[in-house]
Amino acid sequence: MKTPPPSPRNVSVRAVLIALILTIPNSYWLMINWGPSGYQSGQSFPTVVSLYFNVIFITLLLLGWNHLARYVAPQKRLSDAELMVIYILLALASSLAGHDMLQIFWPLMTQSIWYAQPENEWAKLFHHHIPDWLTIKDRTALAPFYRGESSLYIWNHLRLWLKPVLWWSALIIALTWMMLCFTVLIRRQWVYHERLTYPIIQIPLQITERSGGVLFKNRLFWIGFSLAGIINLINGIHFFVPAVPSVGGIGHDPFNMGYDLGQFFAEKPLSAIGYTPVAFYPFAVGLSFFIPLSLSFSIWFFYLFHKVVQVWQTTMGLENLVSAFGPQAQLFGAWFGIAIAALWTTRKFLTHQIRNAFRSRDAGDEEARMVKWALIGLIACGGFVLLFCLSAGVSPVYVFAYFTLFFVVAIAISRVRAELGPPTHDALWNPGSALVIFFGTRSLGPKALTLFTMFRGFNRSYRCHPMPVMLEGFKAAELRRISPRAIILPILLVTVVGTISSAWAFYSQAYRYGADVYGEHWGIGAFSQLRAWLVTPQRSSPVEITIVILSLSFTGLLAVMHRRFLWWPFHPAGYAIGIGYPTMHWYWFSILMSWSVKSILFRVGGIRAYRKGVPFFTGLVVGEFVGGALWALIGISLEKPMYRFMF
C-alpha cells in the first residue's frame, strides 16, 4: 500500500520573527551601499540581478549557526523549511528596498523641490500639481537633509517626513499586496499544473537542503566556489594595485567594466554599435547554466543583433527616425507580448478559479477560500490606489490605464522568471511614458504627468520586481511541504517591515552624508523630462506606436514558432531581455560562455553530464557572492569604496 505524502506544515513563528528582525539590518545594508558620496564611493548593488547576494550570504550565516547549534543547542537548529521561509521573506524585503524600487524612490520624493531653480522653472510648472501630503515643499526645512552632517533623530526632522513617508509607504504596501493577490490567482496553474521549473530558487534550495549537507559534500561545488573566490580576490587586489591584472576585464570603474569592443570602431557606421563590453562574471556564468539553452542563446543573439540593427540604421541614415523613446517602445511591445501570451494560456484556469471561489461551499476547499480573499484584497487595495490617485487630481481612466500596464508587466516578468529564470531582466520603460506615446501629454494633463513621474521612482526598471519573488516563494513552499496559505501572512508582514525600514535606512544615512551626494539622483532626469512635456506638449507618436506594434508582433511570432517547432532556436523572452539596457551590456558575454559550455555538456554527456555539472556552477555563484559580500561589508565598515564584482 502506497504511503500518502506528509500533510503540508505551517510556517513556524520563529522563522517569521527571524526574517522580520533581519529585514531591518538587511534594509540598512542595501541603502548604505550607496557609500558616503554616491556611486563611485559605493559597493555592489545586489538587486540588479535575479538572485540577491546579500540574501544568499545571510542564509549561509544561518547555516553556520545551524552547524554550531548542532553541538551546543541542537533544539535551536533551523529546519530546511524554516531556512527557505527566511530566504523568501528576505528576498522580498530586498526587492522592495532594491535598486529599481525604494532605493530610487525615497531620494526622488523631494528632488523636484530641492533642485528647482528659476532657470528650470520647475516650481512654476508643476510644484502646485504635487499634493502637499506627498512631498516636502519647505526648502529651508530640507537644507539639513541635503547638506548632511545632521541627524534624522530630531523631532522636527522626524515630523517633517512622517506624513509623506507614511502615504507613500501605504501606496507601496497596497501595490505589493495586489501583486500577492495576483500571485495567489495564478499560483496553482504555474506551480502545480504547468510545473514550471523556477530556476532562480534552485540554488537556495540546494543550499538549504539538509542545511547544506548535500551540496557542501560535493567536490565539484568547492572547485567552482574556489575558482570564483580566487578570481574575486585577484580582482580585489587589482582594485588596490592596478599593476596586478584583473581577471575577466573587471576593473575600477563600475560603469566601464570589461574590454570594450566599441573602441575599435571609431568611424561611422560601425561606431553605432556603441559600448559593447566583453567581461567574465563567474556568478553570471553560473546562473545562466540553470536557464534553458534556447533562452541563453536568444539573449546574447538578440543583444548582438540589436547592435547590427543600430549599424544598419546608421548606414541608411535612419538613426534619428526613432525618438528618444524608441528603445522604450520596443521594450514595451516585447514585454506586453509576453504578458498577453502568459495570460492567454492561463485564461481558462483563471476563469475557473474565480467561478469556483464563489460557488464552492466546501468548508475544506482551501484553494477557493484563498482565491476569494485574493479577489477581496484586489478590490480593497485597488480601491485605495484609486483614491490615492484621485486625491492627487488624476482621472480614474488614466489611473486604470497606468496600473493595468503596471500589473501586465508584473505578470510578464513573473512568468519569465518562473519558466526560464534569466539572471537579470532589465526593462528601462514605464507605464507613464507608454501612455504618452499613445495619448500625448495634453490628453493626460499636468496632474497625471506629475504623479506618474513620481511613480517612476518605484518602476524605473524591473530587475528587482517583488512579484516573481512571491511566486518563487509559493514554489519553494510546495517543495518544502509548507501550506501555501501559511506563507501569505508572513509576506504581508515583511512587506510592511521592509517598506518602513527601507525609509528609515535611507533617511538616517542621508542626514549624515547629505542627500546632495548620497543616494540616487535619477529624479533630476525624470523631472527634466516632465518639464519638457509641460513646456513642449507632445502628441501621440505614430512612429513609436508602430514600433510597439511591430515589437509586439515579432514577440508573438517568436512565441508561436517556439511552441510549435522544437527546432526553433529563438525564445521570445530572450528578445525582450537581450535588448534590455543597460544591464545586458555587462552580462551578455558571460551568458554566451555559459551557453557554450552547457551546449557541449549536453552533446557529449546528455542530461547526466548536466546534472553532474550543477554543483560546479552553483559553486561559481556562491563563491563570487560570498567574496563580493565580504568586499561590500568591508567597504561599508570602513566607509571606503572596495572592489565591486557587479554594478
mmCIF file of all heavy atoms in Angstrom, residues 39 79 94 123 133 152 169 184 200 207 229 257 285 298 346 351 384 388 396 418 459 464 490 631:
data_model
loop_
_atom_site.group_PDB
_atom_site.id
_atom_site.type_symbol
_atom_site.label_atom_id
_atom_site.label_comp_id
_atom_site.label_asym_id
_atom_site.label_seq_id
_atom_site.Cartn_x
_atom_site.Cartn_y
_atom_site.Cartn_z
ATOM 1 N N TYR A 39 27.680 56.841 -6.331
ATOM 2 C CA TYR A 39 28.055 55.593 -6.972
ATOM 3 C C TYR A 39 29.529 55.230 -6.780
ATOM 4 O O TYR A 39 29.862 54.105 -6.426
ATOM 5 C CB TYR A 39 27.774 55.683 -8.472
ATOM 6 C CG TYR A 39 26.355 55.385 -8.867
ATOM 7 C CD1 TYR A 39 25.537 56.375 -9.390
ATOM 8 C CD2 TYR A 39 25.835 54.106 -8.737
ATOM 9 C CE1 TYR A 39 24.234 56.102 -9.764
ATOM 10 C CE2 TYR A 39 24.528 53.822 -9.111
ATOM 11 C CZ TYR A 39 23.743 54.831 -9.625
ATOM 12 O OH TYR A 39 22.456 54.555 -9.992
ATOM 13 N N SER A 79 15.166 24.297 10.666
ATOM 14 C CA SER A 79 14.889 23.247 9.685
ATOM 15 C C SER A 79 15.067 23.785 8.270
ATOM 16 O O SER A 79 15.173 25.006 8.046
ATOM 17 C CB SER A 79 13.460 22.736 9.861
ATOM 18 O OG SER A 79 12.524 23.746 9.501
ATOM 19 N N SER A 94 14.241 42.599 0.160
ATOM 20 C CA SER A 94 15.310 43.175 -0.658
ATOM 21 C C SER A 94 14.762 43.732 -1.968
ATOM 22 O O SER A 94 15.253 44.760 -2.463
ATOM 23 C CB SER A 94 16.383 42.115 -0.949
ATOM 24 O OG SER A 94 16.981 41.657 0.235
ATOM 25 N N ALA A 123 9.313 74.992 -10.269
ATOM 26 C CA ALA A 123 8.339 75.490 -9.279
ATOM 27 C C ALA A 123 7.093 76.037 -9.970
ATOM 28 O O ALA A 123 5.964 75.770 -9.555
ATOM 29 C CB ALA A 123 8.994 76.559 -8.409
ATOM 30 N N TRP A 133 0.803 66.575 0.816
ATOM 31 C CA TRP A 133 0.970 65.379 1.641
ATOM 32 C C TRP A 133 1.866 64.330 0.992
ATOM 33 O O TRP A 133 2.130 63.289 1.589
ATOM 34 C CB TRP A 133 -0.394 64.760 1.984
ATOM 35 C CG TRP A 133 -1.344 64.659 0.831
ATOM 36 C CD1 TRP A 133 -2.121 65.655 0.325
ATOM 37 C CD2 TRP A 133 -1.617 63.500 0.035
ATOM 38 N NE1 TRP A 133 -2.866 65.193 -0.739
ATOM 39 C CE2 TRP A 133 -2.590 63.877 -0.929
ATOM 40 C CE3 TRP A 133 -1.168 62.187 0.057
ATOM 41 C CZ2 TRP A 133 -3.082 62.983 -1.873
ATOM 42 C CZ3 TRP A 133 -1.667 61.291 -0.880
ATOM 43 C CH2 TRP A 133 -2.613 61.700 -1.830
ATOM 44 N N LEU A 152 18.653 62.360 11.582
ATOM 45 C CA LEU A 152 17.221 62.130 11.435
ATOM 46 C C LEU A 152 16.519 62.153 12.784
ATOM 47 O O LEU A 152 15.345 62.507 12.866
ATOM 48 C CB LEU A 152 16.985 60.772 10.747
ATOM 49 C CG LEU A 152 15.542 60.260 10.658
ATOM 50 C CD1 LEU A 152 14.701 61.161 9.754
ATOM 51 C CD2 LEU A 152 15.508 58.819 10.155
ATOM 52 N N SER A 169 4.436 54.925 1.694
ATOM 53 C CA SER A 169 4.568 53.545 2.164
ATOM 54 C C SER A 169 3.256 52.800 2.009
ATOM 55 O O SER A 169 3.229 51.621 1.613
ATOM 56 C CB SER A 169 5.023 53.522 3.632
ATOM 57 O OG SER A 169 6.308 54.073 3.784
ATOM 58 N N VAL A 184 -1.587 34.708 -5.978
ATOM 59 C CA VAL A 184 -2.472 33.661 -5.471
ATOM 60 C C VAL A 184 -3.381 33.142 -6.584
ATOM 61 O O VAL A 184 -3.653 31.939 -6.682
ATOM 62 C CB VAL A 184 -3.297 34.188 -4.279
ATOM 63 C CG1 VAL A 184 -4.405 33.210 -3.902
ATOM 64 C CG2 VAL A 184 -2.393 34.449 -3.083
ATOM 65 N N ILE A 200 15.585 30.206 -10.613
ATOM 66 C CA ILE A 200 16.256 31.101 -9.678
ATOM 67 C C ILE A 200 16.335 30.508 -8.278
ATOM 68 O O ILE A 200 17.311 30.723 -7.548
ATOM 69 C CB ILE A 200 15.549 32.479 -9.642
ATOM 70 C CG1 ILE A 200 15.698 33.175 -10.997
ATOM 71 C CG2 ILE A 200 16.116 33.361 -8.534
ATOM 72 C CD1 ILE A 200 17.129 33.430 -11.419
ATOM 73 N N ILE A 207 21.249 24.980 -1.298
ATOM 74 C CA ILE A 207 21.981 25.435 -0.114
ATOM 75 C C ILE A 207 21.284 25.003 1.172
ATOM 76 O O ILE A 207 21.935 24.613 2.153
ATOM 77 C CB ILE A 207 22.139 26.970 -0.155
ATOM 78 C CG1 ILE A 207 23.096 27.373 -1.274
ATOM 79 C CG2 ILE A 207 22.656 27.508 1.180
ATOM 80 C CD1 ILE A 207 23.177 28.863 -1.481
ATOM 81 N N GLY A 229 36.089 32.382 -5.998
ATOM 82 C CA GLY A 229 36.707 33.129 -4.901
ATOM 83 C C GLY A 229 38.075 33.660 -5.261
ATOM 84 O O GLY A 229 38.426 34.800 -4.906
ATOM 85 N N MET A 257 33.032 48.436 -17.224
ATOM 86 C CA MET A 257 33.614 47.128 -16.969
ATOM 87 C C MET A 257 33.771 46.351 -18.262
ATOM 88 O O MET A 257 32.949 46.439 -19.155
ATOM 89 C CB MET A 257 32.732 46.344 -15.988
ATOM 90 C CG MET A 257 32.740 46.906 -14.580
ATOM 91 S SD MET A 257 31.794 45.877 -13.454
ATOM 92 C CE MET A 257 32.169 46.686 -11.882
ATOM 93 N N VAL A 285 27.836 33.397 -15.211
ATOM 94 C CA VAL A 285 28.010 32.108 -15.900
ATOM 95 C C VAL A 285 27.258 31.019 -15.146
ATOM 96 O O VAL A 285 26.564 30.186 -15.738
ATOM 97 C CB VAL A 285 29.511 31.762 -16.008
ATOM 98 C CG1 VAL A 285 29.694 30.358 -16.578
ATOM 99 C CG2 VAL A 285 30.236 32.781 -16.884
ATOM 100 N N SER A 298 19.172 32.994 -27.115
ATOM 101 C CA SER A 298 18.396 34.134 -27.609
ATOM 102 C C SER A 298 18.846 35.439 -26.977
ATOM 103 O O SER A 298 18.844 36.482 -27.637
ATOM 104 C CB SER A 298 16.907 33.909 -27.346
ATOM 105 O OG SER A 298 16.443 32.746 -28.006
ATOM 106 N N THR A 346 -3.343 31.095 -19.532
ATOM 107 C CA THR A 346 -3.875 30.906 -18.175
ATOM 108 C C THR A 346 -5.339 31.308 -18.076
ATOM 109 O O THR A 346 -5.937 31.209 -17.012
ATOM 110 C CB THR A 346 -3.035 31.745 -17.173
ATOM 111 O OG1 THR A 346 -1.634 31.573 -17.465
ATOM 112 C CG2 THR A 346 -3.251 31.299 -15.735
ATOM 113 N N THR A 351 -10.519 31.809 -15.091
ATOM 114 C CA THR A 351 -11.986 31.831 -15.108
ATOM 115 C C THR A 351 -12.556 30.787 -14.158
ATOM 116 O O THR A 351 -13.490 31.053 -13.388
ATOM 117 C CB THR A 351 -12.503 31.589 -16.533
ATOM 118 O OG1 THR A 351 -11.948 32.572 -17.411
ATOM 119 C CG2 THR A 351 -14.017 31.659 -16.581
ATOM 120 N N PHE A 384 -7.960 51.589 -2.664
ATOM 121 C CA PHE A 384 -7.060 52.551 -2.014
ATOM 122 C C PHE A 384 -6.169 53.251 -3.037
ATOM 123 O O PHE A 384 -5.980 54.475 -2.977
ATOM 124 C CB PHE A 384 -6.196 51.845 -0.974
ATOM 125 C CG PHE A 384 -5.128 52.737 -0.386
ATOM 126 C CD1 PHE A 384 -5.440 53.642 0.621
ATOM 127 C CD2 PHE A 384 -3.827 52.690 -0.860
ATOM 128 C CE1 PHE A 384 -4.466 54.480 1.147
ATOM 129 C CE2 PHE A 384 -2.844 53.519 -0.340
ATOM 130 C CZ PHE A 384 -3.171 54.414 0.667
ATOM 131 N N PHE A 388 -6.056 57.199 -3.766
ATOM 132 C CA PHE A 388 -4.769 57.884 -3.672
ATOM 133 C C PHE A 388 -4.561 58.775 -4.891
ATOM 134 O O PHE A 388 -4.210 59.959 -4.766
ATOM 135 C CB PHE A 388 -3.657 56.839 -3.561
ATOM 136 C CG PHE A 388 -2.272 57.400 -3.369
ATOM 137 C CD1 PHE A 388 -1.702 57.435 -2.116
ATOM 138 C CD2 PHE A 388 -1.530 57.873 -4.446
ATOM 139 C CE1 PHE A 388 -0.421 57.936 -1.931
ATOM 140 C CE2 PHE A 388 -0.257 58.375 -4.282
ATOM 141 C CZ PHE A 388 0.307 58.407 -3.012
ATOM 142 N N PRO A 396 -9.654 58.886 -13.207
ATOM 143 C CA PRO A 396 -9.693 57.433 -12.980
ATOM 144 C C PRO A 396 -9.405 56.631 -14.238
ATOM 145 O O PRO A 396 -8.925 55.501 -14.146
ATOM 146 C CB PRO A 396 -11.116 57.195 -12.466
ATOM 147 C CG PRO A 396 -11.903 58.397 -12.866
ATOM 148 C CD PRO A 396 -10.938 59.534 -12.879
ATOM 149 N N ALA A 418 9.477 32.439 -13.622
ATOM 150 C CA ALA A 418 9.015 31.113 -13.218
ATOM 151 C C ALA A 418 9.384 30.044 -14.243
ATOM 152 O O ALA A 418 9.762 28.926 -13.883
ATOM 153 C CB ALA A 418 7.506 31.140 -13.014
ATOM 154 N N ASN A 459 9.185 52.230 -10.361
ATOM 155 C CA ASN A 459 9.113 51.327 -11.529
ATOM 156 C C ASN A 459 9.968 51.863 -12.676
ATOM 157 O O ASN A 459 9.590 51.812 -13.832
ATOM 158 C CB ASN A 459 7.674 51.093 -11.978
ATOM 159 C CG ASN A 459 7.012 52.345 -12.531
ATOM 160 O OD1 ASN A 459 7.587 53.422 -12.484
ATOM 161 N ND2 ASN A 459 5.822 52.200 -13.057
ATOM 162 N N CYS A 464 14.401 44.108 -9.907
ATOM 163 C CA CYS A 464 14.137 43.562 -8.568
ATOM 164 C C CYS A 464 12.636 43.567 -8.277
ATOM 165 O O CYS A 464 12.200 43.981 -7.205
ATOM 166 C CB CYS A 464 14.903 44.348 -7.502
ATOM 167 S SG CYS A 464 14.491 46.100 -7.411
ATOM 168 N N PRO A 490 3.026 35.962 6.528
ATOM 169 C CA PRO A 490 4.417 36.427 6.588
ATOM 170 C C PRO A 490 4.790 37.380 5.455
ATOM 171 O O PRO A 490 5.527 38.349 5.669
ATOM 172 C CB PRO A 490 5.223 35.125 6.515
ATOM 173 C CG PRO A 490 4.320 34.098 7.105
ATOM 174 C CD PRO A 490 2.936 34.495 6.661
ATOM 175 N N TRP A 631 33.657 41.859 0.427
ATOM 176 C CA TRP A 631 34.212 43.143 -0.019
ATOM 177 C C TRP A 631 33.248 44.283 0.298
ATOM 178 O O TRP A 631 33.661 45.348 0.771
ATOM 179 C CB TRP A 631 34.486 43.110 -1.522
ATOM 180 C CG TRP A 631 35.732 42.409 -1.946
ATOM 181 C CD1 TRP A 631 35.819 41.310 -2.743
ATOM 182 C CD2 TRP A 631 37.081 42.759 -1.614
ATOM 183 N NE1 TRP A 631 37.126 40.943 -2.929
ATOM 184 C CE2 TRP A 631 37.924 41.824 -2.247
ATOM 185 C CE3 TRP A 631 37.650 43.771 -0.849
ATOM 186 C CZ2 TRP A 631 39.307 41.866 -2.133
ATOM 187 C CZ3 TRP A 631 39.045 43.812 -0.731
ATOM 188 C CH2 TRP A 631 39.856 42.876 -1.369
#
